[in-house]
Each structure stands twice: as structure tokens, then as C-alpha cells.
Amino acid sequence: MEKKFELTDERILRNSLVLHRIRALRDFGDVKAGDLGGFVESEKNLSHDGNCWIADDSIVCEKATVRDNAQICDDAVLCNHTEACDDSKVCDRAVVRDSARICDHTEIRDNAQVGDNARLCGNVQVCGCAKVGGNALVRDYVLICDIAVIRDYALVRDHAVVCDWTTVCDNALVRDHAVVSGNSVVGDNAAVCDYAEVCGKAAVRGDMLIGKYTVVGDGDGKHAQKPKRSLNDRINDAQKVVNAKQTDNKMPEKAQNHPSMEK
């Protein structure tokens, strides 16, 4: 295996760890020999195979690994035991930590955070200040944005959208073209599916099933915080990125061994 990068003498200190800026030794992908990259703790953080790269001032440290064609850029950080593989991308000021794994064409950007044992695959987009953690599984063409939180054993799949100040937790399921917005909570063993929408300050819990074209709110929209731009506008803008990929990318195979997959 021919090495594609080396550690330079440029170093920074982060949380008592000495990190080295990398430099490309050969051409691959969009990288040219001699290009400087981001910072790693050791050569084990970045695979010499594929077109994967750590660019700009991004950091990959501890036992985090980047392989295949994954791209880490801007000021993004991967640490602990995380893995970025396939054609995934982490950019801006996003952070992936703990034992989280992102794969396929997943993109984590802005100030989003992914941690714990979360798994993200497919064409998932996580942006804004959204957080995904616990043992959550997010897959397919899901969009998670704003300050939304996905945690515990929640499963979000298909073309679902979770946005605003919402929380999806416990063993909840959000799938199909469902939208969870406002300050709502979907928890316990609840499921939101088809073209249903949960909004306002609604709390969907227990074994509730919200389906078809049902809209569940708090009964008084004035209590829900309203974003500066409409939900549809923000979803349409974000989905342009997803739809551009959808034509060329094959839908990932069904994820296995997740407690919520039986729903």
C-alpha cells in the first residue's frame, strides 16, 4: 500500500493531545501531492486507501478513523472511537464523538453534533445545531435541522424531517414523509408515519400511532415558537441537496440489529 500522506512538523495541542498537520504525498481525488490537510494524532486516523481526506483545520484524533472516500473539512472534529466511511462528509464546525458511525452519503454540517453510539447511513443530512446521540439510528433521506434532538433508541428513516426545537427519544419511530416540528416531543414507543405532522408543543407518547395525513398540534399555535422562515421553505431548501444526490445514489440496504426496526 502506497502512503498518500505524511505528518508534518506543524503541531497543535488539543486537550493534552499533540496533533500533526498532514501533507499529501501523491495525487488522489481532488487532492494534489504537496497539499496540506488538517490535523491528526497519528497515521491511524486516516486511511491511505481511497480518496478520504482531512482538510483545512479539521481534526481527527484519538481512535477516530476516516476511510473510503469520506471527507472531513473546515473546522470539523472527529474524536474518541468514531468512524466516517464511504462517501460521508463532516464539515463546518460539526463534531462527531464517542462511538458514533456515519456512512454512505451522510453529511453532518454547521454546528451539528453526533455522539454516543448513534448510527447514520444513507443520504442523511444533519445541520444547524441538531444533535443525534444515544443508540439512535437515522437512515435513508432524513433531514434533521435547527435544534432538533434524536436520542435513546429512536429510529428516524425514509424521507422524514425533524426540525425546530423537537425531541425524538426512547423507542420512538418517525418514518415515511412524516414531519416533526415546533417544540414537540415524540417518545416512548410512539410512531409517526406516512405524511403525518406533529407540531406546536404536542407530546406524542405511549404506544400512539400517528399516520396518514394527520396533523397533531397543541391546539393553540400562538404558544409554539415560530421560525423566521416557514417550515416548507426550509425543508425545500434542504431537500434540494438531498434530491440532487438521490438520482445517483443507491438507497442503502436495510440496517440490521436495531431495536426499533421491528416497528
Side-chain angles (χ1 to χ4, degrees):
M1 176 180 62
E2 182 183 2
K3 293 179 62 174
K4 70 179 183 184
F5 71 94
E6 64 180 356
L7 306 184
T8 68
D9 293 331
E10 182 180 350
R11 303 171 185 174
I12 61 173
L13 192 64
R14 181 182 186 274
N15 296 335
S16 300
L17 299 176
V18 178
L19 308 178
H20 303 260
R21 190 179 289 278
I22 59 175
R23 178 168 49 225
L25 296 175
R26 55 181 172 86
D27 296 350
F28 59 92
D30 295 326
V31 178
K32 303 298 181 184
D35 285 354
L36 293 175
F39 294 89
V40 299
E41 185 176 354
S42 73
E43 289 192 14
K44 294 181 180 179
N45 296 127
L46 177 64
S47 174
H48 287 282
D49 294 327
N51 292 324
C52 55
W53 186 238
I54 301 168
D56 305 315
D57 291 318
S58 57
I59 292 173
V60 180
C61 59
E62 297 173 301
K63 294 186 178 181
T65 57
V66 179
R67 61 182 179 87
D68 302 323
N69 298 310
Q71 302 293 313
I72 315 300
C73 57
D74 302 320
D75 295 300
V77 175
L78 268 71
C79 56
N80 304 130
H81 294 79
T82 56
E83 180 182 14
C85 59
D86 301 322
D87 294 289
S88 59
K89 182 178 182 180
V90 184
C91 59
D92 301 322
R93 295 161 300 283
V95 176
V96 182
R97 63 179 187 274
D98 303 320
S99 297
R101 185 172 186 266
I102 62 171
C103 57
D104 298 324
H105 297 270
T106 295
E107 182 174 331
I108 315 297
R109 53 189 169 88
D110 300 328
N111 293 291
Q113 297 184 36
V114 178
D116 299 322
N117 294 298
R119 298 291 183 268
L120 290 80
C121 57
N123 290 271
V124 172
Q125 299 274 320
V126 184
C127 56
C129 295
K131 295 181 180 181
V132 181
N135 291 283
L137 172 60
V138 183
R139 51 169 290 185
D140 306 324
Y141 297 95
V142 166
L143 169 64
I144 302 171
C145 58
D146 302 320
I147 315 178
V149 175
I150 312 296
R151 58 182 173 85
D152 302 324
Y153 286 91
L155 169 60
V156 185
R157 54 178 290 184
D158 305 321
H159 291 79
V161 175
V162 181
C163 58
D164 298 332
W165 300 268
T166 56
T167 298
V168 179
C169 56
D170 303 321
N171 291 293
L173 168 66
V174 181
R175 69 180 190 187
D176 304 323
H177 289 80
V179 175
V180 182
S181 64
N183 294 282
S184 56
V185 175
V186 180
D188 296 330
N189 295 300
V192 183
C193 56
D194 297 324
Y195 286 84
E197 180 177 355
V198 177
C199 57
K201 293 184 178 181
V204 179
R205 294 187 178 277
D207 295 318
M208 292 182 65
L209 172 62
I210 310 298
K212 301 298 182 181
Y213 290 84
T214 305
V215 177
V216 177
D218 56 8
D220 190 351
K222 68 180 181 182
H223 293 300
Q225 300 182 52
K226 296 182 179 180
K228 295 180 180 179
R229 301 179 64 229
S230 72
L231 174 61
N232 286 336
D233 286 344
R234 287 180 293 123
I235 292 175
N236 289 336
D237 288 346
Q239 288 290 3
K240 288 178 182 179
V241 179
V242 178
N243 292 338
K245 295 180 179 181
Q246 189 170 356
T247 303
D248 301 321
N249 300 334
K250 182 180 179 181
M251 181 75 73
E253 295 182 359
K254 187 174 183 179
Q256 300 293 324
N257 302 322
H258 190 277
S260 300
M261 288 304 295
E262 295 180 357
K263 295 184 179 181

